[in-house]
């Protein structure tokens, strides 16, 4: 998606050869116009897939996911990050190791919001090693829901997340695919 790529070049900061900071428009401050365009683009890509729910992971997935859900005319569901297992309550949980923080948490989904009647589109801000997206996939499967695909704003194509998700049988649509990062360097995959 050209608009997103341009914005990454304008405001993104490569902190190292593996971390891109996009706090200006996505992770700290949010540009609603850009997020709406991103949402419309995801909705256009997945419009024929019979999606009934858009699922995302708190907190940076929420803005793009809500615009995607609005454009598709379906609800958006947020997977919550808990530090420990919740032993009571009707929830599904799965453990995730965070790429950026190196810590782990329980990704949590209430049984009330996704069921075996659903066909889900998973949206997240970044794809690195695919830990978060695979966790979202596991929760959908616990709920018995179908997965229509996975929509990512920024894929770091030099990490193995895309391969993991594709090998597991899921469609991955990434709006901006980064081939290489380095201090002051951001290179996209030729598409
Ligand atoms: P994964 O689970 O695919 O290994 O990592 C994806 C998650 O880690 C995303 O949800 C995102 O929050 C975070 N993440 C991974 N790489 C980056 C990065 O380069 N920049 C930022 N801002 N977040 C990242």
């Amino acid at each position: 998606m050209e608009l997103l790529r341009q914005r990454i070049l304008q405001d993104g900061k490569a902190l190292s050869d593996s971390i891109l900071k996009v706090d200006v428009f996505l992770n700290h401050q949010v540009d609603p116009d850009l997020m709406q365009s991103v949402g419309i683009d995801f909705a256009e890509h997945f419009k024929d897939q019979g999606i009934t729910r858009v699922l995302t992971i708190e907190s940076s997935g929420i803005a793009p996911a809500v615009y995607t859900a609005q454009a598709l005319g379906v609800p958006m569901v947020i997977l919550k990050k808990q530090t420990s297992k919740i032993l009571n309550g009707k929830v599904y949980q799965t453990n995730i190791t965070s790429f950026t923080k190196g810590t782990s948490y329980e990704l949590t989904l209430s049984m009330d919001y996704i069921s075996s009647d659903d066909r889900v589109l998973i949206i997240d801000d970044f794809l690195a090693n695919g830990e978060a997206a695979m966790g979202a996939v596991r929760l959908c499967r616990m709920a018995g829901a179908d997965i229509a695909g996975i929509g990512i704003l920024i894929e770091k194509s030099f990490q193995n997340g895309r391969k993991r998700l594709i090998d597991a049988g899921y469609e991955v649509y990434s709006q901006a695919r980064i081939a290489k990062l380095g201090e002051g360097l951001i290179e996209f995959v030729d598409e």
Side-chain angles (χ1 to χ4, degrees):
M1 189 199 177
E2 190 51 31
L3 192 63
L4 180 59
R5 280 196 292 266
Q6 288 307 326
R7 192 60 183 273
I8 292 167
L9 289 177
Q10 186 188 307
D11 288 328
K13 295 211 173 8
L15 296 187
S16 64
D17 58 6
S18 65
I19 298 279
L20 177 66
K21 199 168 170 178
V22 288
D23 281 6
V24 178
F25 61 88
L26 179 57
N27 293 134
H28 201 335
Q29 173 172 261
V30 174
D31 178 338
D33 290 337
L34 179 65
M35 292 304 117
Q36 187 171 37
S37 301
V38 155
I40 290 169
D41 183 71
F42 280 134
E44 177 60 28
H45 185 87
F46 288 102
K47 66 175 186 289
D48 299 325
Q49 294 272 352
I51 289 157
T52 62
R53 293 279 186 286
V54 173
L55 188 66
T56 195
I57 300 164
E58 68 176 356
S59 56
S60 294
I62 295 174
V66 78
Y67 284 111
T68 307
Q70 184 186 48
L72 288 167
V74 300
M76 188 266 285
V77 176
I78 304 164
L79 297 176
K80 306 223 174 210
K81 294 173 181 171
Q82 319 270 356
T83 46
S84 62
K85 275 204 184 294
I86 296 177
L87 295 174
N88 53 2
K90 297 190 309 173
V91 295
Y92 302 110
Q93 288 195 303
T94 192
N95 191 267
I96 308 282
T97 302
S98 161
F99 174 77
T100 40
K101 301 193 184 84
T103 52
S104 71
Y105 57 88
E106 296 294 325
L107 201 60
T108 303
L109 169 65
S110 165
M111 292 182 188
D112 292 337
Y113 303 123
I114 304 272
S115 75
S116 55
D117 296 332
D118 283 310
R119 193 159 160 77
V120 174
L121 170 61
I122 297 168
I123 297 285
D124 204 10
D125 58 345
F126 273 86
L127 179 62
N129 293 321
E131 275 293 306
M134 284 301 290
V137 163
R138 287 195 296 278
L139 291 174
C140 288
R141 292 171 87 167
M142 286 179 203
D146 277 347
I147 297 162
I150 297 154
I152 300 290
L153 281 80
I154 306 174
E155 173 190 309
K156 292 184 293 178
S157 306
F158 52 87
Q159 295 180 271
N160 70 350
R162 164 178 284 266
K163 183 173 183 325
R164 273 181 81 185
L165 293 170
I166 287 177
D167 286 352
Y170 300 106
E171 186 199 337
V172 178
Y173 170 54
S174 301
Q175 294 174 325
R177 299 184 64 201
I178 295 181
K180 197 167 178 206
L181 286 177
E183 257 188 66
L185 172 91
I186 302 171
E187 265 178 33
F188 293 105
V189 172
D190 285 331
E191 289 186 287

